[in-house]
Amino acid sequence: MPEEIFLLIIVGLIVIGFAVLFTFVPVMLWISALAAGVRVGIFQLVGMRLRRVIPARVVNPLIKAVKAGLELSTNQLEGHYLAGGNVDRVVNALIAAQRANIELSFERAAAIDLAGRDVLEAVQMSVNPKVIETPFIAGVAMDGIEVKAKARITVRANIDRLVGGAGEDTVIARVGEGIVSTIGSAENHKKVLENPDLISQTVLAKGLDAGTAFEILSIDIADIDIGKNIGAELQTDQAEADKKIAQAKAEERRAMAVAKEQEMKAKVEEMRAKVVEAEAEVPLAMSEALRSGNMGVMDYMNIQNIMADTDMRDSIGKATDDNKKDGNKY
């Protein structure tokens, strides 16, 4: 009985040992590598586990590379994995580049991948160029007519400039700037409509792909349309602005005239007040003259007669003027 228990314990320990071995040591992956002709030591796989590297992320791409005829080492792939790169994508890019006769080293592919670009997509774009379509870009010709153009840019990835090169947004911005300047230099919008190839030829001749991760193969004008009459709108706005300025100046002159009129009225009233004040002093002067004997009573009576005669003449003159006005009216 004790012997059976001891035997069962030994068997259990053996099973546990194999379970731990197959869990910690990827034996099946090691067997797959040997079957594919890839020399990977069992202790290398254990070391990957200790370095917190998933062995399958390194060994499977290595098997793929060896079968494709690439000379890569485990240390290269493991180093790229530890740097945060995508090992499988880099290997696929190297295989695609080899099939397309594109010179691409592992170091260059790893640098492109670590730079955040899709190296496999870049290789595919080198083989099969990509078409970038711009939105409608508006420019104004010399005659003031707005012209809208949409372009299709055929680009091919430049492997050597993928690291540090500008992206698609820069290419679109440069092409848009070229379209605007080309339309703006045209004498009238009809020339742009008659020969839209002039835009693509002019823009393509400027070498807009300098400093970018792409090589521009062609620029084709996909659509062209007429927009607003910007020149007429600007002239209308200018005329409206001139009108408002003239109205403001006229209102200023009117306000100044009104103020001047009120000032003159105030002066008239001031003069009238002075006249009334002077007339009020006349009786006082006459009284003083009578009191001092400088003027007699007859002199005073003559003055009264003259004043009465003057009032009568004024009354007659006003009546005559009124009759003349009535006669002219009828």
Side-chain angles (χ1 to χ4, degrees):
M1 189 68 180
E3 295 179 356
E4 294 178 358
I5 296 175
F6 182 72
L7 183 62
L8 290 175
I9 293 174
I10 293 176
V11 172
L13 292 175
I14 293 174
V15 172
I16 294 173
F18 274 105
V20 172
L21 178 65
F22 279 94
T23 301
F24 190 74
V25 180
V27 178
M28 297 303 297
L29 186 63
W30 177 66
I31 295 173
S32 298
L34 289 179
V38 178
R39 294 182 179 179
V40 180
I42 191 70
F43 292 104
Q44 283 182 305
L45 299 177
V46 174
M48 291 182 189
R49 289 285 192 186
L50 296 176
R51 289 188 292 271
R52 296 182 180 180
V53 176
I54 301 175
R57 298 286 181 87
V58 176
V59 176
N60 288 334
L62 183 60
I63 294 172
K64 191 189 305 182
V66 171
K67 288 299 182 181
L70 298 177
E71 294 182 0
L72 297 177
S73 65
T74 307
N75 292 330
Q76 286 177 314
L77 300 183
E78 187 177 352
H80 185 62
Y81 178 85
L82 291 173
N86 190 322
V87 178
D88 191 63
R89 185 164 55 191
V90 170
V91 171
N92 290 337
L94 290 173
I95 295 173
Q98 183 192 42
R99 296 292 185 268
N101 293 325
I102 298 175
E103 293 185 3
L104 180 63
S105 63
F106 174 80
E107 288 74 15
R108 170 67 65 177
I112 294 172
D113 184 62
L114 293 176
R117 296 185 182 273
D118 193 336
V119 61
L120 179 59
E121 182 182 355
V123 174
Q124 292 173 348
M125 194 184 299
S126 298
V127 178
N128 185 20
K130 180 181 179 181
V131 177
I132 303 174
E133 185 170 332
T134 66
F136 270 108
I137 300 171
V140 181
M142 291 185 180
D143 59 354
I145 304 299
E146 182 185 36
V147 180
K148 298 180 180 179
K150 179 188 288 186
R152 287 193 177 95
I153 312 166
T154 304
V155 296
R156 180 172 57 196
N158 192 325
I159 302 296
D160 295 332
R161 293 203 301 253
L162 277 176
V163 179
E168 295 182 10
D169 294 337
T170 302
V171 175
I172 294 175
R174 290 181 180 180
V175 172
E177 180 183 359
I179 292 174
V180 171
S181 62
T182 304
I183 295 174
S185 61
E187 295 182 359
N188 55 67
H189 67 285
K190 294 181 181 178
K191 290 189 177 181
V192 180
L193 295 177
E194 291 173 358
N195 191 14
D197 293 339
L198 178 64
I199 299 176
S200 58
Q201 293 173 4
T202 305
V203 175
L204 192 60
K206 292 184 177 182
L208 302 178
D209 54 0
T212 65
F214 304 100
E215 178 185 353
I216 298 178
L217 301 179
S218 66
I219 299 175
D220 304 311
I221 303 301
D223 192 8
I224 192 167
D225 196 6
I226 297 296
K228 299 178 181 179
N229 191 337
I230 303 297
E233 290 185 358
L234 291 176
Q235 291 177 358
T236 303
D237 294 341
Q238 185 63 43
E240 186 67 22
D242 293 341
K243 175 185 174 183
K244 291 181 179 180
I245 292 173
Q247 289 177 346
K249 290 182 177 180
E251 182 65 23
E252 181 181 0
R253 290 193 297 269
R254 188 192 69 80
M256 291 178 64
V258 171
K260 188 69 175 179
E261 180 183 2
Q262 296 297 326
E263 184 180 356
M264 295 306 295
K265 287 182 178 180
K267 288 184 178 180
V268 169
E269 293 296 330
E270 182 180 359
M271 297 304 295
R272 285 179 179 176
K274 289 182 179 180
V275 170
V276 171
E277 183 180 0
E279 289 178 349
E281 293 179 356
V282 171
L284 296 176
M286 290 177 65
S287 175
E288 183 64 25
L290 287 172
R291 187 180 299 110
S292 61
N294 293 328
M295 184 177 67
V297 176
M298 294 304 297
D299 294 331
Y300 177 74
M301 296 301 296
N302 288 332
I303 291 174
Q304 293 295 324
N305 290 333
I306 291 171
M307 293 176 62
D309 185 57
T310 301
D311 292 338
M312 181 182 66
R313 289 176 183 272
D314 290 339
S315 299
I316 294 172
K318 289 181 179 179
T320 303
D321 292 337
D322 292 337
N323 291 332
K324 287 181 179 180
K325 290 181 179 179
D326 295 338
N328 292 333
K329 182 176 179 181
Y330 293 103

